[in-house]
């Protein structure tokens, strides 16, 4: 069953991520989606949980209360409307698609006079990391909490979520400056491989969470697009490694 709750006390994306993580730790809860602007949380649970129980697991700064007129049928209707629009998911992913488009076009134009596919791929990977790390650094407080929701390593070692944006920046510079490319390629396979495992698990479990690929500034849903973008980078890394060794 699903229920919508009113939650006050949240002031930033870090608060939102903290509330989601705390509520998801409750065994009876299947999934949690928090809307910071509306100050609402949609909770899917195996059995009804009292507001008092939910309040007991949250820090004192947050106050949770049950919204009136939030039945399963209402939520199911909302979900059906969301699916029936057809273009809603595409519209939500529009920022990601535009950014990938700009990176692709820029990488091609940089070498339009002296075409070299390897050089194009190196610039694509460099620009990819620089741009994506920029959006993550915009909210260093909220990103780690969102990232550890699905990345296995960030979940096991929280500090990894804090340094990850800077790892991406370093890798971007290495690709663009053509510095220690083999190391950058191997590192890409490792970090994106770990993230891909987490993304795949999330998609298989059909959990609705926010993707942290563009930080928390742009609210992107976790979809197959996240898996595809990671796969593209990993395929490029594998191709260039085979050429290197």
């Amino acid at each position: 069953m699903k229920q919508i709750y009113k939650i006050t006390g949240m002031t930033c994306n870090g608060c939102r991520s903290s509330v989601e993580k705390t509520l998801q730790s409750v065994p009876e809860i299947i999934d949690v989606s928090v809307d910071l602007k509306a100050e609402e949380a949609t909770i899917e649970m195996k059995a009804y949980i009292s507001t008092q129980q939910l309040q007991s697991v949250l820090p004192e700064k947050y106050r949770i209360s049950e919204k009136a007129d939030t039945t399963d049928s209402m939520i199911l209707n909302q979900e059906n409307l969301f699916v029936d629009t057809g273009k809603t998911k595409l519209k939500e992913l529009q920022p990601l698609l535009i950014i990938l488009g700009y990176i692709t076009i820029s990488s091609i134009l940089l070498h339009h006079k002296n075409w070299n596919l390897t050089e194009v791929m190196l610039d694509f990977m460099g620009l990819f990391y620089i741009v994506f790390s920029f959006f993550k650094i915009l909210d260093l407080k909220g990103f780690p909490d969102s990232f550890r929701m699905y990345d296995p390593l960030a979940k096991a070692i929280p500090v990894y979520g804090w340094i990850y944006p800077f790892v991406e920046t370093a890798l971007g510079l290495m690709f663009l400056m053509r510095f220690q490319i083999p190391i950058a390629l191997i590192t890409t396979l490792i970090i994106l491989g770990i993230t891909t495992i987490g993304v795949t698990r999330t998609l298989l479990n059909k959990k609705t969470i926010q993707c942290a690929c563009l930080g928390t500034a742009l609210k992107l849903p976790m979809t197959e697009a996240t898996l595809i973008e990671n796969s593209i980078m990993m395929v490029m890394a594998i191709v260039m490694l085979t050429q290197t060794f």
Side-chain angles (χ1 to χ4, degrees):
M1 63 176 296
K2 289 186 180 180
Q3 185 73 33
I4 297 179
Y5 294 86
K6 186 75 175 178
I7 299 182
T8 58
M10 298 184 297
T11 58
C12 63
N13 279 308
C15 295
R16 176 193 58 75
S17 298
S18 176
V19 169
E20 284 186 344
K21 181 183 177 184
T22 302
L23 291 175
Q24 284 182 334
S25 66
V26 178
E28 294 83 2
I29 291 179
I30 300 172
D31 190 36
V32 180
S33 178
V34 176
D35 188 325
L36 178 62
K37 186 176 292 185
E39 294 186 322
E40 293 179 354
T42 301
I43 303 178
E44 183 179 356
M45 56 192 80
K46 298 176 183 177
Y48 179 76
I49 304 173
S50 68
T51 307
Q52 290 77 11
Q53 286 179 280
L54 295 174
Q55 184 65 64
S56 66
V57 300
L58 289 171
E60 291 184 3
K61 64 179 290 189
Y62 307 118
R63 306 303 300 178
I64 185 169
S65 58
E66 192 170 319
K67 283 195 66 177
D69 301 324
T70 55
T71 62
D72 280 347
S73 59
M74 289 176 63
I75 296 172
L76 285 172
N77 287 336
Q78 291 174 358
E79 289 179 343
N80 289 334
L81 286 173
F82 178 80
V83 174
D84 289 340
T85 56
K87 296 182 180 179
T88 305
K89 182 180 288 189
L90 182 61
K91 187 174 182 180
E92 285 185 338
L93 293 175
Q94 190 176 43
L96 174 63
L97 298 176
I98 290 175
I99 290 172
L100 288 176
Y102 268 94
I103 292 174
T104 302
I105 293 171
S106 299
S107 303
I108 293 173
L109 290 178
L110 284 171
H111 302 280
H112 74 283
K113 289 185 178 179
N114 299 300
W115 179 256
N116 186 307
L117 183 57
T118 300
E119 293 294 311
V120 171
M121 288 193 291
L122 287 172
D123 282 333
F124 178 91
M125 297 179 76
L127 292 173
F128 179 97
Y129 276 130
I130 293 296
V131 173
F132 278 59
S133 64
F134 164 76
F135 283 100
K136 293 178 177 70
I137 292 173
L138 279 179
D139 186 9
L140 274 177
K141 186 177 180 180
F143 168 74
D145 289 330
S146 294
F147 190 48
R148 72 169 66 103
M149 295 286 284
Y150 60 89
D151 186 271
L153 186 55
K155 187 178 296 185
I157 308 175
V159 70
Y160 176 66
W162 290 94
I163 66 173
Y164 185 82
F166 302 100
V167 172
E168 283 198 337
T169 300
L171 287 171
L173 292 174
M174 290 173 72
F175 281 121
L176 293 175
M177 297 174 67
R178 307 299 192 263
F179 175 74
Q180 295 293 338
I181 296 301
I183 294 177
L185 293 172
I186 293 172
T187 305
T188 292
L189 286 175
I190 294 173
I191 65 173
L192 291 187
I194 293 172
T195 301
T196 300
I197 292 173
V199 171
T200 303
R201 286 176 179 172
T202 300
L203 293 175
L204 290 176
N205 292 332
K206 298 182 179 180
K207 284 188 175 181
T208 305
I209 64 173
Q210 180 176 324
C211 176
C213 56
L214 285 174
T216 57
L218 298 175
K219 295 182 179 180
L220 298 175
M222 179 68 71
T223 66
E224 293 79 2
T226 310
L227 187 62
I228 293 172
E229 82 185 38
N230 283 358
S231 299
I232 290 173
M233 289 285 284
M234 292 173 66
V235 168
M236 286 185 177
I238 292 172
V239 169
M240 283 184 281
L241 276 174
T242 57
Q243 293 176 350
T244 302
F245 297 105

